[in-house]
C-alpha cells in the first residue's frame, strides 16, 4: 500500500502541469528566544507548546535550542496559547494572535518569579513588527472587518491597505504601480486569478473568510506577481460548534438621491424632478461549522445569497423605463480539515459562485435589445501537510477551478414585453435571427441584443513544497517548491443573424434605421443606412502550461539580522486555437532581503529588499493573438444604393506572433524597497516604507499594417496592401511603468477595545505603459489607448499614468464597549490623470491625444487651440473622500445570545465628487459624467454562536 | 520614536528621484500635429470640421493654353479685398517669416546612418528638413504669404529643428538674424526679400491627387514644435511701386496673373443629360495665363468671367477667345477680384 502511495505521488509529480504562479502562505509562525530573566542567558531545552482552537490535531511542541531559540511553524491563523515549561519548574503561558505569513515575535525572559505570576495572567499579544520579513502590506482579519462598514467583499476591503487603489472601480485594484491585471488572488493557497483576464475570477462568501493578507511588495520567492497578492484564508471548523447567520437589507429608500448637475461643483438640486433610480440589494448568509470527529475531523459550511437590482430612470433617447438590472448570486463553500495524527493534516475545500444577471446594459434601451449574463463556477482544493519533524515538513496542494461566462440577448430567457406598443412589432418578440440595429444618430439599440457567447476557463494547479530548518553559519528556515498550473479556455461567439447594423443619417429613433427587405435589398432610398458588420459564429480554444521552481531561505547569521535570499525560475508556454505558440517565456527572479533588528528586542526593524518577479504564464496575450471570426464591414454606397464591402478584420491574418522571450524581455517587475517599522506602544506598530518599482516589457499588441498620415488621423495605406489591421503580439521594451512611493502606516490594537489601521501614501506612477491589449484603458475607445496602435500618437504616451494617485489616506478604526460597536473607515484619494482626447475620423472616435497622457493641451480664452506646448497643463479628476461608519449593538449582555443589530452608513457625508469627467473634445468637455455613490445605509441582523 | 519616524520620512521624501515624466519634453521635442481648431474654414478643406477634421483639398481644373493643370484656391482676406490695392503686401500684417532650409537645392541636413524611409514608422522623412513656420492661420485675416528666411545646413540632423526659437539658437545652421545683442532683445531671422505662397492647411485634411504613398502634394513643416501641413504655391513675383501722387503709400505689391471662367457651361445632370448652368471659378473650365515654372506665373489670380459663345464647349485657351468672348471678359462687371491660385510643382 505504501509502495502504491509512492508510485501515485511520483506519477503526480511527473504528470503535473508545469506552470509558474504564486502560492499563498496560509500559516503563520511564533518564534523567539527564551532567556533567563536576570542574566539574559539563553535557556536551552525548554519545551514550548502551542495550542489553539485553530490547530487541529491537538497541541504541538518544540524544544528551544542551545541559543534559547525556538520557532513554531505552520500554524493556521488564530489565537494561540503558548506554554513554556521546563522539567521541575512551573510553566509560563502567553497568548498571542497569529496571522498568516507573519512571525509573531515572542521573546520570553523567564524566571521562577515570572513563572509564578504569569501562570494565571494571560494577556493577548499581537506583535506586528514582522521582524524577519521584508514583505509589505498587512493582514485584514474577519474580526476587524466585522466592526466597520464594508462592501462585504474581499476585493473591497483590500482597498484599506496602503498602496492599493481601484481607480476603475471594478474590484480589481492597482497595487503600487501595477495595473489591474497584474495581481494574484488566492484562496487557501489556490491561485484563483482568472487565466484569461488576469483578474479575480471568483467571489467568496464574505463570512467564510477568516483573514485576508494583502501583500504589496517585498515578496519572498514563493510569490510571483507583478502587482500585489491578495491571499485569503477561509474559516475551518474547530472542536466547538459555531453558527454565524446574518441578513442585510439595502432598500432603495435607504439611499439619498443623486441629483446633481454636470458641473464640477454643482451642489444638490433640492427640487429636481429626476426620478431616483431604484438601487437596492438584500443579502442572506448562513455559516456553521464544528467537529465531525473531535481533534481529528472538522468541517465548515458557508452559504450566501445576494439579490441586487438597479436601473436607470427613463430618459433620452427613447424615454422608456426599461426593466431593472437584477442579479442573483449564490455563494457556497465547504471546507473539511482532517488530522489523522499529529504528523499529517489534510484539507479539502470546494466553492461555487453561480450568478445570474438580467437586463445588464441599462442604457435606456428596449427590452428586446437587452442582454443577460450568467457566470461562475466551482473550485476545489486538496492539501496535504506532513510534519515529519521540527525541522522538516512538506506540503502538497492540488487545485481545480472552472469558471465561465455565458451571455446573449435577453430575449432568449424571457418574454419581451412591449413598451406601450410604442414601437414596431419587431421589438415585441424575440427572433434569434434578427440582427441588432444601433442608431448612431441617437445611440438607441433595436430588434435584438448583442452577441451571444460562452467563455469557459479551466485551471489545474499542483504545488508541492518542502520546508526545512537547521543551522549552518546561523539558523536557516528554507523552503523549496514547485508551482505548476495548467490553464485551458474555450470561447464561442455569434451575432444574431450574423450581423449588426450601425445606422446613421436617418434621424433618431426606429424611423431612422436602415431598412432592408427579405432579399437584403435596401428600402426607403437607403435612409439611415451606413455600416453593417458580418460575422459567422466562431469557436476558439487555447491552453497554457508552466512551472515555477522557487527557493527561499530565511537565514539568521546573527540574532539581529535576517537575510532573505531567494530565487525563482519560471517558464510558461501558451498556444492558441491553431496550435501556434503565442508565448514561450522564461523568467529568472532573484530576491534578496535584509531585516535588521536595530534595537535587539524585535521592536525596531529596518528592511531592505530587491526582487524581480516574472509573468510567464497568461492566456491574455493568447486570447488576443488568436484566429478570430472574419469580421466583414460593409458600407452603404449612396451612388450604387447598395452595401459594399469596405474592409475586413480578424481571420487568420490579423495577427503576428513573437513568442520567444528571454529573461530580459519577459514581463517583469524590478522592485527596491526600504522600510522601517517600530513598535511604538503595546501591540502598535508604525512604519515608513519607500518603494521603487519598474514594471517592464508589459505585453501589448503592435499594429503593423496601417500606414497613417503624418497627423495620425487618416490611414493612407497598408503595408501588405490589404485594408486590415494586423497586430504583432509581443513584450516591447518601451512598454513600462515606474512607481515611486512612500507609505506611512500605523497599525494598533492597544487594548481589546480599540482596533486601528491608518496609512498615508505619497506616490508617483508614470511611464508609457498605459495599456495592455486595450483591456485596461480608461477610455471609451478600447484599444486606442495604446502607444502601439498609431505610431503618430506614440509621442504622447509618456506621462502620469491613469492610475497615478498622488495622495492616499486610509483609516480604519473601531471601538467596542459593552456590546456597543462603533467603527469607521475613511478613504481619501487625490484625483487621477485624464487626457483630453480628440476625434480621429479613421477610428470614428475620440482616440487621439494632442498632449502627453495626463494633460490638456489648453485653449485660448475664446476656446481656440493654443498650439503652445509650454501651456500644456495636468488634467485630473477631483479628489475623492469617502467615510463609511458602523453602529452595532451585541445583545449578549441582555439575552446571553450574540445577536447583533447593525447599521452601516456609506458615504456618511454624502459627498459628491465627480468620479467621471468628460475628457473628449466636445462641448461637454470637463463636465461631470459620474459622481460618488450618494449616502446610503443598510440594516443588518447577525447571530453568532 | 514617532518624531524619529517623521524625520526619516522627510529624509526619504527628499531623496526621492525626480518624478516628473514631462521633463522629456524639454529641448526640441515633438508636440504632435498642430491643432487646426482655429483655422479659417478655407484652410480646413471642403467639408472640414475644426474639431473633427475630414476636409478635402481637391485642385481645381484649369487650362493654360490648352494644357490641363490644377490649382488650389484660397480667398483673399477681408482686409485685402477691402483695400484700395488688394495686392499690396501692406494689407498682410505682418507677413510672417518662414525658415526654408537650403532653398533651391537638395537637403543638406544629416540623415540617420543607413536611413531608409519607412512611411509606417516615420511621421516625416528623416532625410529632409521641413520648413519652420512662425504663424498659424487664424481668424484674424490669414493670408497664405510668407517671407522666406534662408537657412543653410551646417551639420544639423534632419527634422531635429522644429521651432523658430530653437533654430535661432542653433550653431549647426547658418541663418541670417538680427537682435539678441542684449538679453531682452528678441532675435529674428532676416528675410531674403522673397515671398512664398505657402498655405498652411489642416494637417488632417485629405489633399488630392494622391501619390503612390496615399498622400497628396502637401508639404510638411514645423510650427513651435508642432507638425504642420502646407500647400506650396511657389514664389510670388512682386513689384516695387514708388510712392507718388495717386498711388497709395506702399512700396511693394504682389504680381498676379489672370484667370477667366465661363459664366455658363455645360453640366451633366442626374438623368445623364447635358444642361447649361451658371459658372464659377473651379468648375473645370478656368483659363489661366501661366503654369508653375513659367515666366509670369503667380499664385495670385485676378479673376474675370466671360460669356462663352458655345457654353457646351467653352474654349481651353485664352488664345481661342473669339471677339465676343474677349469683349465680355473686358467688361467692367467681369472683374471678380483676386484669389490665391496655388499651383503645386509637378
Amino acid at each position: 500500500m505504501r509502495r502504491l502511495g509512492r508510485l501515485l505521488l511520483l506519477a503526480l509529480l511527473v504528470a503535473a502541469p508545469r506552470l509558474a504562479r504564486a502560492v499563498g502562505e496560509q500559516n503563520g509562525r511564533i518564534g523567539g528566544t527564551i532567556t533567563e530573566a536576570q542574566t539574559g542567558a539563553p535557556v536551552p531545552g525548554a519545551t514550548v507548546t502551542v495550542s489553539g482552537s485553530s490547530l487541529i490535531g491537538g497541541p504541538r511542541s518544540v524544544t528551544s535550542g542551545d541559543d534559547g531559540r525556538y520557532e513554531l511553524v505552520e500554524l493556521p491563523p488564530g489565537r494561540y496559547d503558548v506554554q513554556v515549561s521546563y522539567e521541575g519548574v512551573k510553566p509560563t503561558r502567553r497568548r498571542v494572535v497569529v496571522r498568516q505569513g507573519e512571525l509573531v515575535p515572542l521573546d520570553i525572559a523567564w524566571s521562577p518569579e515570572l513563572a509564578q505570576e504569569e501562570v494565571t495572567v494571560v494577556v493577548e499579544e499581537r506583535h506586528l513588527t514582522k521582524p524577519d520579513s521584508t514583505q509589505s502590506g498587512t493582514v485584514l482579519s474577519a474580526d476587524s472587518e466585522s466592526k466597520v462598514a464594508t462592501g462585504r467583499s474581499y476585493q473591497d476591503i483590500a482597498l484599506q491597505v496602503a498602496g492599493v487603489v481601484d481607480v476603475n472601480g471594478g474590484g480589481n485594484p492597482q497595487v503600487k504601480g501595477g495595473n489591474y491585471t497584474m495581481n494574484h488572488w488566492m484562496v487557501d493557497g489556490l491561485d484563483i486569478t482568472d487565466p484569461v483576464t488576469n483578474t479575480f475570477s471568483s467571489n467568496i462568501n464574505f463570512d467564510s473568510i477568516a483573514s485576508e493578507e494583502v501583500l504589496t511588495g517585498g515578496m519572498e520567492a514563493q510569490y510571483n506577481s507583478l502587482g500585489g497578492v491578495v491571499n485569503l484564508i477561509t474559516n475551518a471548523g474547530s472542536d466547538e460548534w459555531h453558527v454565524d447567520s446574518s441578513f442585510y437589507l439595502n432598500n432603495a429608500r435607504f439611499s439619498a438621491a443623486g441629483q446633481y448637475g454636470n458641473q464640477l461643483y454643482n451642489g444638490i438640486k433640492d427640487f429636481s424632478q429626476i426620478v431616483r433610480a431604484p438601487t437596492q440589494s438584500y443579502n442572506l448568509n448562513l455559516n456553521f461549522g464544528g467537529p465531525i470527529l473531535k481533534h481529528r475531523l472538522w468541517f465548515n459550511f458557508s452559504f450566501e445569497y445576494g439579490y441586487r437590482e438597479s436601473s436607470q430612470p427613463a430618459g433620452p433617447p427613447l424615454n422608456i423605463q426599461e426593466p431593472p438590472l437584477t442579479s442573483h448570486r449564490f455563494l457556497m463553500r465547504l471546507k473539511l480539515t482532517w488530522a489523522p495524527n499529529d504528523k499529517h493534516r489534510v484539507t479539502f475545500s470546494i466553492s461555487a459562485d453561480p450568478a445570474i444577471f438580467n437586463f445588464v446594459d441599462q442604457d435606456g434601451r428596449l427590452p428586446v435589445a437587452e442582454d443577460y449574463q450568467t457566470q461562475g463556477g466551482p473550485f476545489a482544493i486538496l492539501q496535504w501537510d506532513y510534519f515529519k519533524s521540527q525541522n522538516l515538513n512538506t506540503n502538497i496542494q492540488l487545485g481545480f477551478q472552472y469558471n465561465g461566462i455565458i451571455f446573449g440577448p435577453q430575449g432568449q430567457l424571457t418574454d419581451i414585453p412591449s413598451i406601450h406598443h410604442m414601437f414596431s412589432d419587431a421589438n415585441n418578440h424575440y427572433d434569434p435571427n434578427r440582427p441588432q440595429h444601433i442608431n448612431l444618430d441617437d445611440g438607441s439599440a433595436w430588434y435584438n441584443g448583442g452577441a451571444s457567447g460562452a467563455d469557459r476557463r479551466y485551471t489545474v494547479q499542483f504545488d508541492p513544497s518542502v520546508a526545512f530548518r537547521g543551522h549552518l553559519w546561523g539558523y536557516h528556515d528554507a523552503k523549496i517548491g514547485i508551482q505548476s498550473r495548467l490553464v485551458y479556455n474555450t470561447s464561442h461567439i455569434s451575432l444574431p443573424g450574423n450581423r449588426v447594423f450601425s445606422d446613421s443619417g436617418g434621424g433618431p429613433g426606429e424611423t431612422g434605421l436602415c431598412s432592408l427587405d427579405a432579399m437584403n435589398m435596401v428600402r426607403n432610398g437607403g435612409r439611415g443606412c451606413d455600416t453593417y458588420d458580418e460575422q459567422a459564429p466562431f469557436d476558439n480554444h487555447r491552453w497554457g502550461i508552466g512551472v515555477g521552481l522557487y527557493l527561499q531561505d530565511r537565514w539568521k547569521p546573527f540574532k539581529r539580522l535576517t537575510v532573505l535570499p531567494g530565487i525563482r525560475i519560471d517558464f510558461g508556454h501558451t498556444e492558441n486555437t491553431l496550435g501556434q505558440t503565442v508565448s514561450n517565456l522564461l523568467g529568472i527572479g532573484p530576491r534578496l532581503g535584509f531585516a535588521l533588528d536595530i534595537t535587539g528586542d524585535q521592536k525596531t526593524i529596518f528592511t531592505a529588499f530587491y526582487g524581480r518577479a516574472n509573468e510567464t504564464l497568461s492566456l491574455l496575450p493568447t486570447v488576443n493573438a488568436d484566429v478570430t471570426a472574419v469580421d466583414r464591414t460593409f458600407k452603404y454606397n449612396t451612388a450604387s444604393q447598395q452595401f459594399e464591402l469596405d474592409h475586413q478584420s480578424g481571420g487568420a491574418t490579423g495577427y503576428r506572433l513573437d513568442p520567444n522571450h528571454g529573461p530580459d524581455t519577459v514581463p517583469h517587475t524590478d522592485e527596491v524597497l526600504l522600510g522601517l517599522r517600530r513598535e511604538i506602544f503595546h501591540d502598535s506598530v508604525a512604519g515608513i516604507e519607500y518603494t521603487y518599482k519598474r514594471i517592464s516589457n508589459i505585453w501589448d499588441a503592435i499594429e503593423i499594417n496601417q500606414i497613417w498620415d503624418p497627423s495620425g488621423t487618416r490611414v493612407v495605406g497598408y503595408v501588405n496592401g490589404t485594408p486590415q489591421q494586423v497586430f504583432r503580439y509581443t513584450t516591447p521594451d518601451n512598454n513600462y511603468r515606474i512607481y515611486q512611493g512612500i507609505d506611512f502606516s500605523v497599525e494598533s490594537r492597544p487594548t481589546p477595545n480599540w482596533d486601528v489601521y491608518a496609512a498615508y501614501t505619497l506616490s508617483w506612477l508614470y511611464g508609457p505603459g498605459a495599456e495592455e491589449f486595450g483591456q485596461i484603458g480608461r477610455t471609451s475607445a478600447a484599444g486606442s489607448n495604446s502607444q502601439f496602435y498609431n505610431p503618430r500618437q506614440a509621442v504622447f504616451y509618456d506621462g502620469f499614468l491613469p492610475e497615478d494617485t498622488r495622495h492616499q489616506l486610509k483609516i480604519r478604526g473601531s471601538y467596542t464597549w459593552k456590546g456597543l460597536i462603533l467603527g469607521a473607515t475613511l478613504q481619501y484619494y487625490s484625483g487621477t490623470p485624464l487626457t483630453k482626447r480628440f476625434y480621429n475620423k479613421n477610428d470614428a472616435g475620440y482616440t487621439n491625444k494632442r498632449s502627453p497622457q495626463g494633460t490638456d493641451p489648453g485653449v485660448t480664452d475664446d476656446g481656440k487651440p493654443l498650439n503652445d506646448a509650454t501651456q500644456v497643463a495636468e488634467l485630473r479628476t477631483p479628489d475623492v473622500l469617502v467615510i463609511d461608519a458602523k453602529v452595532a449593538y451585541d445583545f449578549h449582555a441582555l439575552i446571553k445570545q450574540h445577536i447583533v443589530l447593525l447599521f452601516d452608513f456609506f458615504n456618511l457625508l454624502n459627498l459628491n465628487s465627480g468620479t467621471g469627467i468628460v475628457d473628449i473634445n466636445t462641448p461637454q468637455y470637463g463636465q461631470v459624467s459620474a459622481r460618488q455613490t450618494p449616502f446610503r445605509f443598510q440594516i443588518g441582523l447577525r447571530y453568532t454562536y | 520614536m514617532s518624531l524619529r519616524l517623521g524625520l526619516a520620512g522627510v529624509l526619504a521624501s527628499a531623496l526621492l528621484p525626480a518624478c516628473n515624466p514631462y521633463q522629456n519634453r524639454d529641448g526640441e521635442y515633438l508636440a504632435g500635429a498642430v491643432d487646426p481648431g482655429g483655422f479659417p474654414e478655407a484652410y480646413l478643406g471642403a467639408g472640414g470640421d475644426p474639431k473633427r477634421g475630414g476636409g478635402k483639398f481637391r485642385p481645381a481644373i484649369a487650362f493654360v493654353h490648352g494644357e490641363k493643370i490644377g490649382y488650389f484656391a484660397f480667398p483673399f482676406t477681408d482686409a485685402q479685398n477691402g483695400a484700395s490695392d488688394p495686392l499690396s503686401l501692406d494689407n498682410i500684417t505682418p507677413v510672417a517669416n518662414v525658415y526654408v532650409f537650403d532653398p533651391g537645392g537638395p537637403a543638406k541636413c544629416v540623415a540617420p546612418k543607413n536611413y531608409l524611409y519607412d512611411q509606417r514608422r516615420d511621421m516625416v522623412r528623416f532625410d529632409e528638413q521641413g520648413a519652420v513656420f512662425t504663424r498659424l492661420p487664424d481668424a484674424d485675416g490669414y493670408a497664405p504669404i510668407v517671407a522666406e528666411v534662408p537657412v543653410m545646413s551646417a551639420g544639423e540632423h534632419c527634422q531635429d529643428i522644429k521651432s523658430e526659437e530653437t533654430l535661432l539658437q542653433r550653431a549647426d545652421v547658418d541663418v541670417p538674424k538680427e537682435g539678441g545683442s542684449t538679453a531682452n532683445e528678441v532675435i529674428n531671422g532676416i528675410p531674403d526679400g522673397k515671398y512664398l505662397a505657402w498655405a498652411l492647411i489642416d494637417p488632417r485634411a485629405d489633399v488630392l491627387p494622391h501619390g503612390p504613398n496615399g498622400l497628396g502634394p502637401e508639404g510638411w513643416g514645423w510650427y513651435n514644435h508642432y507638425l504642420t501641413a502646407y500647400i506650396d504655391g511657389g514664389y510670388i513675383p512682386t513689384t516695387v511701386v514708388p510712392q507718388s501722387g495717386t498711388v497709395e503709400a506702399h512700396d511693394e505689391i504682389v504680381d498676379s496673373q489672370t484667370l477667366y471662367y465661363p459664366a455658363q457651361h455645360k453640366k451633366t445632370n442626374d438623368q445623364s443629360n447635358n444642361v447649361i448652368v451658371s459658372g464659377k471659378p473651379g468648375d473645370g473650365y478656368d483659363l489661366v495665363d501661366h503654369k508653375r515654372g513659367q515666366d509670369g506665373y503667380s499664385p495670385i489670380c485676378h479673376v474675370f468671367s466671360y460669356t462663352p459663345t458655345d457654353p457646351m464647349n467653352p474654349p481651353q485657351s485664352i488664345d481661342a477667345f473669339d471677339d465676343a468672348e474677349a469683349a465680355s471678359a473686358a467688361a467692367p462687371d467681369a472683374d471678380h477680384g483676386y484669389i490665391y491660385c496655388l499651383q503645386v510643382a509637378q
Side-chain angles (χ1 to χ4, degrees), chain A residues 320-342:
Chain A
I320 60 167
Q321 180 61 60
E322 66 170 313
L325 184 159
T326 59
S327 69
H328 303 268
R329 191 172 73 172
F330 305 88
L331 304 176
M332 294 156 280
R333 181 161 180 79
L334 173 66
K335 188 172 185 178
L336 297 171
T337 311
W338 178 42
N341 53 51
D342 61 356

Side-chain angles (χ1 to χ4, degrees), chain B residues 128-174:
Chain B
E128 297 174 354
Q129 170 65 53
V132 174
F133 291 82
T134 58
R135 185 190 175 190
L136 292 177
D138 53 38
D140 298 331
Y142 170 75
I145 297 179
V146 286
E148 178 182 82
V149 180
V151 181
M152 306 313 292
S153 294
E156 88 282 12
H157 292 283
C158 296
Q159 309 290 12
D160 197 34
I161 297 172
K162 302 179 184 70
S163 69
E164 179 188 33
E165 181 184 15
T166 303
L167 170 62
L168 295 175
Q169 295 171 356
R170 296 275 291 235
D172 51 2
V173 290
D174 293 327

Side-chain angles (χ1 to χ4, degrees), chain A residues 604 676 678 680 686-688 690 702-711 713-714 716 719 740 742 744 762 764 766-767 791-792 795-796 798-800 838-839 841 846 850 852-855 864-865 867-870 872 874 921-923, chain B residues 1-2 5 8-10 12-13 16-22 24-25 29-39 51-54 119-124 136 139 203-207 210 213-215 218 220 223-227:
Chain A
T604 309
L676 184 65
R678 167 69 184 171
I680 46 178
I688 177 173
Y690 165 72
I702 302 175
E703 205 291 314
I704 56 172
N705 194 42
Q706 293 182 142
I707 299 173
W708 293 85
D709 76 326
S711 78
T713 55
R714 290 186 301 123
V716 297
V719 173
Q740 295 192 67
I742 301 178
F744 301 86
L762 171 68
W764 293 262
Y766 50 96
R792 310 294 178 255
V795 65
F796 300 122
D798 195 1
F800 288 119
F838 295 81
Y839 193 78
K841 196 168 181 66
Y846 290 84
R850 290 192 178 278
Q853 64 186 4
T855 65
K864 296 287 170 43
N867 286 311
D868 183 352
T870 63
V872 165
E874 280 197 47
N921 186 31
T922 63
Chain B
M1 186 58 211
S2 57
L5 275 176
V10 171
S13 303
L16 273 180
C19 302
N20 182 357
Y22 306 122
N24 60 3
R25 289 171 68 81
Y29 55 89
L30 169 62
V34 78
D35 186 343
F39 284 17
K51 288 189 172 180
R52 293 188 160 217
Q119 192 188 357
R120 193 198 76 81
R121 178 194 63 194
D122 298 337
M123 185 182 220
V124 290
L136 292 177
R204 300 167 300 183
D206 185 9
V207 184
H210 291 164
N213 63 359
L215 296 171
E218 68 270 38
W220 298 92
Y223 167 79
N224 194 20
H225 304 278
Y226 293 92
L227 181 73

